[in-house]
Amino acid sequence: MIMLGDKFTGKQKKDFIKRNKHKKGWIETKYLRSGNMSSLETRELAKLICKNFNIAFDNQLAFQDERYRICFELALRDQMIEELDLFDDSVLMHPA
């Protein structure tokens, strides 16, 4: 069983932080440079950075969700989390 982040090297983590730490607001996968990584792998690495380093936080969704975002502006954390709309509109379309 592979744990979250076991597949990422220290260099990948450092490079990810270096490339993205200056970005403002919620950042989605397509704006997080990831080299040869897929969007899913990029979100997984972002989740790992949020979990293990005190430099970013996420929008509290699973990294598998395409709506997953991170933010490096720690001073705005409470405000940005408060303003999140975590309601999934797709439940309104479900046949059940």
Side-chain angles (χ1 to χ4, degrees):
M1 177 175 174
I2 295 177
M3 299 296 291
L4 180 67
D6 283 351
K7 63 184 175 183
F8 300 108
T9 66
K11 182 177 179 350
Q12 286 175 306
K13 294 171 197 171
K14 286 178 187 178
D15 287 348
F16 181 90
I17 292 168
K18 184 178 178 181
R19 284 190 311 264
N20 297 298
K21 67 181 179 183
H22 68 280
K23 296 179 180 176
K24 304 292 183 198
W26 290 116
I27 312 164
E28 60 184 282
T29 306
K30 66 183 175 182
Y31 299 113
L32 297 169
R33 292 183 48 212
S34 60
N36 296 336
M37 287 185 222
S38 69
S39 292
L40 181 62
E41 289 173 316
T42 301
R43 290 192 302 269
E44 183 178 0
L45 178 54
K47 184 72 160 186
L48 176 74
I49 297 300
C50 291
K51 181 179 176 188
N52 294 333
F53 298 86
N54 190 28
I55 65 164
F57 59 98
D58 62 25
N59 63 353
Q60 303 175 344
L61 295 174
F63 74 87
Q64 295 90 342
D65 191 317
E66 290 184 9
R67 298 172 297 151
Y68 180 79
R69 309 285 186 267
I70 70 169
C71 179
F72 287 92
E73 298 178 275
L74 290 178
L76 300 176
R77 180 186 198 141
D78 292 339
Q79 175 188 347
M80 291 183 76
I81 295 291
E82 229 175 74
E83 293 173 357
L84 284 175
D85 178 12
L86 296 179
F87 183 74
D88 185 356
D89 294 333
S90 68
V91 299
L92 300 175
M93 306 300 270
H94 194 277

